[in-house]
Amino acid sequence: MDKVADIGRDIGEYIRLQRNNAKISLRQLSKLAGVSNPYLSQIERGVRKPSAEILQQIAKGLRISAEALYVQAGLLDLPSGGPVADAIRADTELSERQKQVLLDVYESFRRENRAARTSDTDTQPEE
């Protein structure tokens, strides 16, 4: 089986797992996501590979991060940033926009501190 088919099956299994964890039926997710029941069923069975837009709708229906589905589908690389970034992404009290703003601020502080450390080592006199 080729890689594209594997990715389609993997994302379908992941969506089914998330749906089961949320304790909602296929029909309920179909309504919440605004995706037809037969199409959603095909995605879960790995028959169809959803677009990024459809993944975003499914993520909204599941109340999970669209980024998580994009990573699972191979559309995005696994995010980096360590435990703080992971905690921000996992926080269910924040909207996706709020999470992104926090992540951007956090990364800007990290870059600033790396630059400061680099300039500190550059300005220290040699022994």
PDB file of all heavy atoms in Angstrom, residues 24-48:
ATOM      1  N   ILE A  24     -19.131  10.632  21.208  1.00  0.00           N
ATOM      2  CA  ILE A  24     -20.158  11.117  20.284  1.00  0.00           C
ATOM      3  C   ILE A  24     -20.240  10.167  19.091  1.00  0.00           C
ATOM      4  O   ILE A  24     -19.252   9.548  18.703  1.00  0.00           O
ATOM      5  CB  ILE A  24     -19.908  12.578  19.826  1.00  0.00           C
ATOM      6  CG1 ILE A  24     -18.559  12.737  19.139  1.00  0.00           C
ATOM      7  CG2 ILE A  24     -20.030  13.538  20.968  1.00  0.00           C
ATOM      8  CD1 ILE A  24     -18.320  14.134  18.612  1.00  0.00           C
ATOM      9  N   SER A  25     -21.421  10.088  18.538  1.00  0.00           N
ATOM     10  CA  SER A  25     -21.641   9.181  17.408  1.00  0.00           C
ATOM     11  C   SER A  25     -21.138   9.812  16.114  1.00  0.00           C
ATOM     12  O   SER A  25     -20.891  11.022  16.044  1.00  0.00           O
ATOM     13  CB  SER A  25     -23.129   8.862  17.274  1.00  0.00           C
ATOM     14  OG  SER A  25     -23.838  10.009  16.823  1.00  0.00           O
ATOM     15  N   LEU A  26     -21.038   8.984  15.111  1.00  0.00           N
ATOM     16  CA  LEU A  26     -20.636   9.469  13.783  1.00  0.00           C
ATOM     17  C   LEU A  26     -21.640  10.508  13.298  1.00  0.00           C
ATOM     18  O   LEU A  26     -21.259  11.551  12.759  1.00  0.00           O
ATOM     19  CB  LEU A  26     -20.546   8.284  12.814  1.00  0.00           C
ATOM     20  CG  LEU A  26     -19.971   8.563  11.447  1.00  0.00           C
ATOM     21  CD1 LEU A  26     -18.486   8.894  11.553  1.00  0.00           C
ATOM     22  CD2 LEU A  26     -20.153   7.362  10.539  1.00  0.00           C
ATOM     23  N   ARG A  27     -22.904  10.239  13.504  1.00  0.00           N
ATOM     24  CA  ARG A  27     -23.969  11.160  13.072  1.00  0.00           C
ATOM     25  C   ARG A  27     -23.859  12.503  13.815  1.00  0.00           C
ATOM     26  O   ARG A  27     -24.006  13.561  13.218  1.00  0.00           O
ATOM     27  CB  ARG A  27     -25.327  10.523  13.317  1.00  0.00           C
ATOM     28  CG  ARG A  27     -26.489  11.294  12.728  1.00  0.00           C
ATOM     29  CD  ARG A  27     -27.796  10.559  12.899  1.00  0.00           C
ATOM     30  NE  ARG A  27     -27.753   9.184  12.438  1.00  0.00           N
ATOM     31  CZ  ARG A  27     -28.050   8.789  11.195  1.00  0.00           C
ATOM     32  NH1 ARG A  27     -28.419   9.681  10.309  1.00  0.00           N
ATOM     33  NH2 ARG A  27     -27.997   7.521  10.863  1.00  0.00           N
ATOM     34  N   GLN A  28     -23.573  12.451  15.117  1.00  0.00           N
ATOM     35  CA  GLN A  28     -23.426  13.691  15.891  1.00  0.00           C
ATOM     36  C   GLN A  28     -22.233  14.495  15.395  1.00  0.00           C
ATOM     37  O   GLN A  28     -22.338  15.713  15.226  1.00  0.00           O
ATOM     38  CB  GLN A  28     -23.249  13.374  17.378  1.00  0.00           C
ATOM     39  CG  GLN A  28     -24.497  12.880  18.059  1.00  0.00           C
ATOM     40  CD  GLN A  28     -24.209  12.370  19.462  1.00  0.00           C
ATOM     41  OE1 GLN A  28     -23.249  11.640  19.678  1.00  0.00           O
ATOM     42  NE2 GLN A  28     -25.047  12.756  20.417  1.00  0.00           N
ATOM     43  N   LEU A  29     -21.108  13.831  15.161  1.00  0.00           N
ATOM     44  CA  LEU A  29     -19.931  14.542  14.666  1.00  0.00           C
ATOM     45  C   LEU A  29     -20.208  15.128  13.294  1.00  0.00           C
ATOM     46  O   LEU A  29     -19.793  16.244  12.987  1.00  0.00           O
ATOM     47  CB  LEU A  29     -18.703  13.622  14.618  1.00  0.00           C
ATOM     48  CG  LEU A  29     -17.420  14.271  14.090  1.00  0.00           C
ATOM     49  CD1 LEU A  29     -17.059  15.523  14.887  1.00  0.00           C
ATOM     50  CD2 LEU A  29     -16.274  13.273  14.100  1.00  0.00           C
ATOM     51  N   SER A  30     -20.924  14.392  12.481  1.00  0.00           N
ATOM     52  CA  SER A  30     -21.290  14.877  11.155  1.00  0.00           C
ATOM     53  C   SER A  30     -22.027  16.212  11.262  1.00  0.00           C
ATOM     54  O   SER A  30     -21.716  17.163  10.537  1.00  0.00           O
ATOM     55  CB  SER A  30     -22.164  13.828  10.463  1.00  0.00           C
ATOM     56  OG  SER A  30     -22.702  14.335   9.279  1.00  0.00           O
ATOM     57  N   LYS A  31     -22.982  16.289  12.170  1.00  0.00           N
ATOM     58  CA  LYS A  31     -23.736  17.537  12.366  1.00  0.00           C
ATOM     59  C   LYS A  31     -22.856  18.642  12.916  1.00  0.00           C
ATOM     60  O   LYS A  31     -22.892  19.778  12.449  1.00  0.00           O
ATOM     61  CB  LYS A  31     -24.901  17.301  13.326  1.00  0.00           C
ATOM     62  CG  LYS A  31     -26.139  16.795  12.674  1.00  0.00           C
ATOM     63  CD  LYS A  31     -27.279  16.769  13.668  1.00  0.00           C
ATOM     64  CE  LYS A  31     -28.527  16.300  12.954  1.00  0.00           C
ATOM     65  NZ  LYS A  31     -29.622  16.011  13.857  1.00  0.00           N
ATOM     66  N   LEU A  32     -22.063  18.314  13.944  1.00  0.00           N
ATOM     67  CA  LEU A  32     -21.207  19.317  14.577  1.00  0.00           C
ATOM     68  C   LEU A  32     -20.169  19.889  13.614  1.00  0.00           C
ATOM     69  O   LEU A  32     -19.848  21.069  13.657  1.00  0.00           O
ATOM     70  CB  LEU A  32     -20.490  18.711  15.792  1.00  0.00           C
ATOM     71  CG  LEU A  32     -21.364  18.364  16.993  1.00  0.00           C
ATOM     72  CD1 LEU A  32     -20.571  17.533  17.999  1.00  0.00           C
ATOM     73  CD2 LEU A  32     -21.895  19.639  17.648  1.00  0.00           C
ATOM     74  N   ALA A  33     -19.642  19.022  12.752  1.00  0.00           N
ATOM     75  CA  ALA A  33     -18.578  19.436  11.837  1.00  0.00           C
ATOM     76  C   ALA A  33     -19.111  19.983  10.520  1.00  0.00           C
ATOM     77  O   ALA A  33     -18.364  20.601   9.762  1.00  0.00           O
ATOM     78  CB  ALA A  33     -17.654  18.245  11.565  1.00  0.00           C
ATOM     79  N   GLY A  34     -20.377  19.736  10.230  1.00  0.00           N
ATOM     80  CA  GLY A  34     -20.932  20.184   8.964  1.00  0.00           C
ATOM     81  C   GLY A  34     -20.389  19.382   7.785  1.00  0.00           C
ATOM     82  O   GLY A  34     -20.211  19.896   6.685  1.00  0.00           O
ATOM     83  N   VAL A  35     -20.123  18.100   8.038  1.00  0.00           N
ATOM     84  CA  VAL A  35     -19.605  17.192   7.015  1.00  0.00           C
ATOM     85  C   VAL A  35     -20.621  16.060   6.878  1.00  0.00           C
ATOM     86  O   VAL A  35     -21.150  15.585   7.889  1.00  0.00           O
ATOM     87  CB  VAL A  35     -18.229  16.611   7.444  1.00  0.00           C
ATOM     88  CG1 VAL A  35     -17.706  15.606   6.440  1.00  0.00           C
ATOM     89  CG2 VAL A  35     -17.225  17.741   7.636  1.00  0.00           C
ATOM     90  N   SER A  36     -20.912  15.637   5.661  1.00  0.00           N
ATOM     91  CA  SER A  36     -21.927  14.599   5.495  1.00  0.00           C
ATOM     92  C   SER A  36     -21.527  13.307   6.202  1.00  0.00           C
ATOM     93  O   SER A  36     -20.345  12.964   6.292  1.00  0.00           O
ATOM     94  CB  SER A  36     -22.187  14.326   4.011  1.00  0.00           C
ATOM     95  OG  SER A  36     -21.162  13.535   3.466  1.00  0.00           O
ATOM     96  N   ASN A  37     -22.527  12.610   6.691  1.00  0.00           N
ATOM     97  CA  ASN A  37     -22.318  11.364   7.410  1.00  0.00           C
ATOM     98  C   ASN A  37     -21.561  10.331   6.550  1.00  0.00           C
ATOM     99  O   ASN A  37     -20.591   9.746   7.025  1.00  0.00           O
ATOM    100  CB  ASN A  37     -23.675  10.828   7.898  1.00  0.00           C
ATOM    101  CG  ASN A  37     -23.532   9.760   8.940  1.00  0.00           C
ATOM    102  OD1 ASN A  37     -22.692   9.857   9.818  1.00  0.00           O
ATOM    103  ND2 ASN A  37     -24.369   8.748   8.850  1.00  0.00           N
ATOM    104  N   PRO A  38     -21.967  10.110   5.284  1.00  0.00           N
ATOM    105  CA  PRO A  38     -21.239   9.130   4.468  1.00  0.00           C
ATOM    106  C   PRO A  38     -19.775   9.526   4.223  1.00  0.00           C
ATOM    107  O   PRO A  38     -18.884   8.678   4.254  1.00  0.00           O
ATOM    108  CB  PRO A  38     -22.012   9.093   3.148  1.00  0.00           C
ATOM    109  CG  PRO A  38     -23.360   9.635   3.460  1.00  0.00           C
ATOM    110  CD  PRO A  38     -23.169  10.592   4.601  1.00  0.00           C
ATOM    111  N   TYR A  39     -19.537  10.826   4.001  1.00  0.00           N
ATOM    112  CA  TYR A  39     -18.172  11.286   3.756  1.00  0.00           C
ATOM    113  C   TYR A  39     -17.302  11.094   5.002  1.00  0.00           C
ATOM    114  O   TYR A  39     -16.169  10.623   4.926  1.00  0.00           O
ATOM    115  CB  TYR A  39     -18.182  12.759   3.326  1.00  0.00           C
ATOM    116  CG  TYR A  39     -16.827  13.302   2.946  1.00  0.00           C
ATOM    117  CD1 TYR A  39     -16.067  12.704   1.940  1.00  0.00           C
ATOM    118  CD2 TYR A  39     -16.296  14.411   3.589  1.00  0.00           C
ATOM    119  CE1 TYR A  39     -14.827  13.206   1.593  1.00  0.00           C
ATOM    120  CE2 TYR A  39     -15.056  14.915   3.249  1.00  0.00           C
ATOM    121  CZ  TYR A  39     -14.328  14.312   2.246  1.00  0.00           C
ATOM    122  OH  TYR A  39     -13.090  14.800   1.915  1.00  0.00           O
ATOM    123  N   LEU A  40     -17.853  11.435   6.168  1.00  0.00           N
ATOM    124  CA  LEU A  40     -17.129  11.253   7.421  1.00  0.00           C
ATOM    125  C   LEU A  40     -16.827   9.777   7.656  1.00  0.00           C
ATOM    126  O   LEU A  40     -15.728   9.416   8.077  1.00  0.00           O
ATOM    127  CB  LEU A  40     -17.935  11.843   8.582  1.00  0.00           C
ATOM    128  CG  LEU A  40     -17.254  11.935   9.929  1.00  0.00           C
ATOM    129  CD1 LEU A  40     -15.939  12.697   9.844  1.00  0.00           C
ATOM    130  CD2 LEU A  40     -18.175  12.591  10.938  1.00  0.00           C
ATOM    131  N   SER A  41     -17.769   8.930   7.354  1.00  0.00           N
ATOM    132  CA  SER A  41     -17.567   7.487   7.491  1.00  0.00           C
ATOM    133  C   SER A  41     -16.427   7.012   6.576  1.00  0.00           C
ATOM    134  O   SER A  41     -15.582   6.211   6.982  1.00  0.00           O
ATOM    135  CB  SER A  41     -18.858   6.742   7.152  1.00  0.00           C
ATOM    136  OG  SER A  41     -18.643   5.351   7.160  1.00  0.00           O
ATOM    137  N   GLN A  42     -16.396   7.523   5.348  1.00  0.00           N
ATOM    138  CA  GLN A  42     -15.317   7.165   4.407  1.00  0.00           C
ATOM    139  C   GLN A  42     -13.966   7.638   4.914  1.00  0.00           C
ATOM    140  O   GLN A  42     -12.961   6.939   4.771  1.00  0.00           O
ATOM    141  CB  GLN A  42     -15.601   7.759   3.023  1.00  0.00           C
ATOM    142  CG  GLN A  42     -16.760   7.117   2.315  1.00  0.00           C
ATOM    143  CD  GLN A  42     -17.093   7.816   1.011  1.00  0.00           C
ATOM    144  OE1 GLN A  42     -16.684   8.952   0.766  1.00  0.00           O
ATOM    145  NE2 GLN A  42     -17.854   7.143   0.166  1.00  0.00           N
ATOM    146  N   ILE A  43     -13.930   8.804   5.523  1.00  0.00           N
ATOM    147  CA  ILE A  43     -12.676   9.319   6.090  1.00  0.00           C
ATOM    148  C   ILE A  43     -12.210   8.396   7.204  1.00  0.00           C
ATOM    149  O   ILE A  43     -11.041   7.994   7.244  1.00  0.00           O
ATOM    150  CB  ILE A  43     -12.851  10.766   6.613  1.00  0.00           C
ATOM    151  CG1 ILE A  43     -13.066  11.740   5.458  1.00  0.00           C
ATOM    152  CG2 ILE A  43     -11.641  11.189   7.449  1.00  0.00           C
ATOM    153  CD1 ILE A  43     -13.491  13.143   5.890  1.00  0.00           C
ATOM    154  N   GLU A  44     -13.111   8.045   8.106  1.00  0.00           N
ATOM    155  CA  GLU A  44     -12.742   7.180   9.231  1.00  0.00           C
ATOM    156  C   GLU A  44     -12.267   5.805   8.767  1.00  0.00           C
ATOM    157  O   GLU A  44     -11.399   5.209   9.387  1.00  0.00           O
ATOM    158  CB  GLU A  44     -13.912   7.031  10.209  1.00  0.00           C
ATOM    159  CG  GLU A  44     -14.102   8.244  11.089  1.00  0.00           C
ATOM    160  CD  GLU A  44     -15.010   7.969  12.271  1.00  0.00           C
ATOM    161  OE1 GLU A  44     -15.515   6.833  12.421  1.00  0.00           O
ATOM    162  OE2 GLU A  44     -15.218   8.909  13.059  1.00  0.00           O
ATOM    163  N   ARG A  45     -12.831   5.314   7.681  1.00  0.00           N
ATOM    164  CA  ARG A  45     -12.427   3.992   7.175  1.00  0.00           C
ATOM    165  C   ARG A  45     -11.167   4.071   6.301  1.00  0.00           C
ATOM    166  O   ARG A  45     -10.645   3.052   5.884  1.00  0.00           O
ATOM    167  CB  ARG A  45     -13.563   3.349   6.390  1.00  0.00           C
ATOM    168  CG  ARG A  45     -14.717   2.920   7.291  1.00  0.00           C
ATOM    169  CD  ARG A  45     -15.842   2.255   6.529  1.00  0.00           C
ATOM    170  NE  ARG A  45     -16.599   3.259   5.787  1.00  0.00           N
ATOM    171  CZ  ARG A  45     -16.869   3.201   4.479  1.00  0.00           C
ATOM    172  NH1 ARG A  45     -16.466   2.182   3.765  1.00  0.00           N
ATOM    173  NH2 ARG A  45     -17.555   4.159   3.900  1.00  0.00           N
ATOM    174  N   GLY A  46     -10.681   5.285   6.043  1.00  0.00           N
ATOM    175  CA  GLY A  46      -9.468   5.447   5.249  1.00  0.00           C
ATOM    176  C   GLY A  46      -9.705   5.404   3.757  1.00  0.00           C
ATOM    177  O   GLY A  46      -8.763   5.327   2.975  1.00  0.00           O
ATOM    178  N   VAL A  47     -10.977   5.472   3.346  1.00  0.00           N
ATOM    179  CA  VAL A  47     -11.317   5.442   1.919  1.00  0.00           C
ATOM    180  C   VAL A  47     -11.059   6.797   1.276  1.00  0.00           C
ATOM    181  O   VAL A  47     -10.642   6.877   0.132  1.00  0.00           O
ATOM    182  CB  VAL A  47     -12.801   5.025   1.725  1.00  0.00           C
ATOM    183  CG1 VAL A  47     -13.213   5.082   0.276  1.00  0.00           C
ATOM    184  CG2 VAL A  47     -13.040   3.644   2.316  1.00  0.00           C
ATOM    185  N   ARG A  48     -11.306   7.869   2.024  1.00  0.00           N
ATOM    186  CA  ARG A  48     -11.094   9.230   1.532  1.00  0.00           C
ATOM    187  C   ARG A  48     -10.094   9.939   2.413  1.00  0.00           C
ATOM    188  O   ARG A  48     -10.064   9.743   3.627  1.00  0.00           O
ATOM    189  CB  ARG A  48     -12.414  10.021   1.559  1.00  0.00           C
ATOM    190  CG  ARG A  48     -13.548   9.445   0.750  1.00  0.00           C
ATOM    191  CD  ARG A  48     -13.381   9.632  -0.749  1.00  0.00           C
ATOM    192  NE  ARG A  48     -13.468  10.984  -1.205  1.00  0.00           N
ATOM    193  CZ  ARG A  48     -14.577  11.569  -1.620  1.00  0.00           C
ATOM    194  NH1 ARG A  48     -15.714  10.922  -1.608  1.00  0.00           N
ATOM    195  NH2 ARG A  48     -14.551  12.813  -2.043  1.00  0.00           N
TER     196      ARG A  48
END
